Amino acid sequence: MAKIKNNNIYLGNSCELLKEIEGNSIALSFWSPPYFLAKEYEKDESYDTWQKMLKTVISEHFRILKPGGFLVINIADILSFKDEKMPKIMGANPSNRKCAVTKEMVIKAKQEYPHFNRNQLASLLNCSEQTIDRRLNGNNIRGGRYATGTHVKLVGGNLEQYAYDTGLFLYDKRIWKKDPAWANCKWTTNTLKSVSEAEDLYVFWKPGEYVVNRERLTPQEWKDWGYRQIWEISSVRANNIHPAMFPLTLASRVIKLYTDKGDVVLDPFLGSGTTAIAAIKLNRKYIGIEKIQKYFNIAQKAIKQAQVDFADDLFCQIE
């Protein structure tokens, strides 16, 4: 008999606890896993162990999803993936230069004074010896040459393969357009890279008949976002209780689109409890798993309050 029951949250590792969920019982699993961005709760993860965890969690879903059920993963590509093989070459940024000395000026001075060292050339050109070094050898020669280079690492292909290997198919892909994450894009001042302002929603399907219920949304909701690939939803303004919260609106849209009232919604990376709270507000059942005690406690408190609010709303409707 399955140990995990509906309308409860559990403290522990999803790789193990998912095995305790009843088979063919979950209508929707919606979650946002760790993104491998070196946050505190990821400090012990390598890229390989992170991928192994994702593969394990996804592989458990074929058994627990109902035929026709959906797995929706909210995740972003890694925009600054460290790679020792990445050439340590920085882009030239003349507009940021605080010194008017150019590479051509340094080369000309070296030709005229071939016996001068960097300090002597700096004195001649009225600049620092660091400027001489950078003009001759590139911006990254001072300090940057010792730092590991970074590049973009796509994650969607791996998720698709893990799902496909276990029998799930990529049914759809939507995009969450959020607020620009300036704090995570400090490199934009010194490179041509863009500011991060979108995340992906990968929608996987377990083969089986599913319901296309147009009554799940109002006609206006279908027009505004139900049929739309890009969802414009503001980010959580203050991540003061969890460093990676997604908005309640995002969870609510996914739950309304892919489930009916009374269905079971799972979040194996519950965090502060957003998915469970959305499920309660929409009259769905929920299961949540969170491995960190601090966030489990936060989610537990928030869920209890959501249950009280939902009961109050029902009472008001009866009155």
Side-chain angles (χ1 to χ4, degrees):
M1 180 178 294
K3 296 180 181 179
I4 288 185
K5 305 298 182 182
N6 295 338
N7 295 330
N8 283 284
I9 66 173
Y10 296 85
L11 178 65
N13 191 320
S14 293
C15 294
E16 298 299 326
L17 290 180
L18 288 178
K19 298 174 183 178
E20 305 298 330
I21 295 177
E22 181 181 351
N24 301 313
S25 64
I26 304 299
L28 168 68
S29 182
F30 172 56
W31 39 276
S32 186
Y35 283 18
F36 197 66
L37 295 177
K39 292 186 181 295
E40 179 63 23
Y41 52 80
E42 300 174 295
K43 62 181 180 180
D44 296 325
E45 291 277 13
S46 68
Y47 178 76
D48 288 338
T49 61
W50 176 62
Q51 286 294 305
K52 182 179 179 181
M53 178 272 294
L54 290 175
K55 182 177 182 179
T56 300
V57 171
I58 291 172
S59 67
E60 287 293 331
H61 277 73
F62 185 83
R63 182 186 66 83
I64 63 177
L65 284 175
K66 295 169 57 177
F70 291 95
L71 161 61
V72 181
I73 302 176
N74 166 221
I75 198 168
D77 294 321
I78 303 172
L79 301 184
S80 187
F81 182 80
K82 291 184 178 181
D83 188 341
E84 293 290 345
K85 296 181 180 179
M86 183 74 174
K88 296 178 175 63
I89 301 172
M90 290 178 63
N93 194 341
S95 62
N96 272 1
R97 288 180 181 173
K98 298 178 180 179
C99 176
V101 173
T102 65
K103 181 177 182 179
E104 290 71 24
M105 292 169 65
V106 176
I107 291 175
K108 182 179 179 181
K110 280 179 64 66
Q111 291 173 343
E112 293 179 356
Y113 303 93
H115 60 285
F116 274 21
N117 59 31
R118 283 202 308 268
N119 290 321
Q120 291 172 313
L121 288 171
S123 179
L124 175 69
L125 295 173
N126 194 27
C127 65
S128 69
E129 62 87 16
Q130 292 181 355
T131 296
I132 300 297
D133 204 11
R134 288 192 175 108
R135 297 299 184 267
L136 291 175
N137 300 301
N139 289 341
N140 60 308
I141 200 68
R142 304 293 289 221
R145 63 178 171 176
Y146 303 112
T148 302
T150 66
H151 59 77
V152 174
K153 184 76 168 179
L154 303 180
V155 301
N158 287 349
L159 300 183
E160 181 187 12
Q161 190 62 54
Y162 300 153
Y164 188 80
D165 289 343
T166 198
L168 304 176
F169 296 86
L170 187 56
Y171 176 87
D172 195 13
K173 178 176 178 287
R174 299 193 183 226
I175 298 168
W176 167 27
K177 183 180 181 299
K178 57 182 184 176
D179 301 324
W182 295 100
N184 295 327
C185 296
K186 296 177 181 178
W187 61 69
T188 54
T189 56
N190 293 316
T191 76
L192 300 176
K193 293 185 178 182
S194 60
V195 172
S196 173
E197 54 185 337
E199 296 187 9
D200 296 306
L201 295 170
Y202 293 94
V203 183
F204 298 100
W205 168 67
K206 177 177 177 177
E209 186 177 82
Y210 58 94
V211 178
V212 181
N213 183 359
R214 294 302 179 195
E215 294 182 357
R216 288 174 179 169
L217 310 183
T218 66
Q220 190 62 47
E221 286 175 327
W222 282 111
K223 180 179 179 180
D224 290 345
W225 58 268
Y227 297 124
R228 306 291 297 275
Q229 183 188 40
I230 299 176
W231 289 354
E232 296 191 29
I233 304 172
S234 296
S235 305
V236 175
R237 296 300 180 185
N239 288 323
N240 53 345
I241 61 174
H242 191 283
M245 296 173 65
F246 55 75
L248 185 65
T249 301
L250 182 66
S252 297
R253 287 189 182 184
V254 173
I255 292 171
K256 290 181 73 173
L257 191 60
Y258 296 108
T259 68
D260 290 306
K261 291 181 179 180
D263 282 342
V264 183
V265 177
L266 166 69
D267 186 343
F269 300 94
L270 188 61
S272 59
T274 305
T275 299
I277 292 169
I280 292 168
K281 291 180 178 293
L282 295 170
N283 201 15
R284 272 69 165 175
K285 299 172 186 176
Y286 66 89
I287 294 173
I289 299 173
E290 172 54 47
K291 73 174 184 178
I292 299 177
Q293 183 74 61
K294 173 184 175 181
Y295 301 133
F296 175 85
N297 294 342
I298 290 171
Q300 194 171 49
K301 182 177 179 180
I303 288 168
K304 286 181 179 179
Q305 185 59 54
Q307 290 169 330
V308 171
D309 294 342
F310 180 70
D312 289 344
D313 290 342
L314 284 180
F315 180 78
C316 292
Q317 291 173 21
I318 294 173
E319 287 288 300

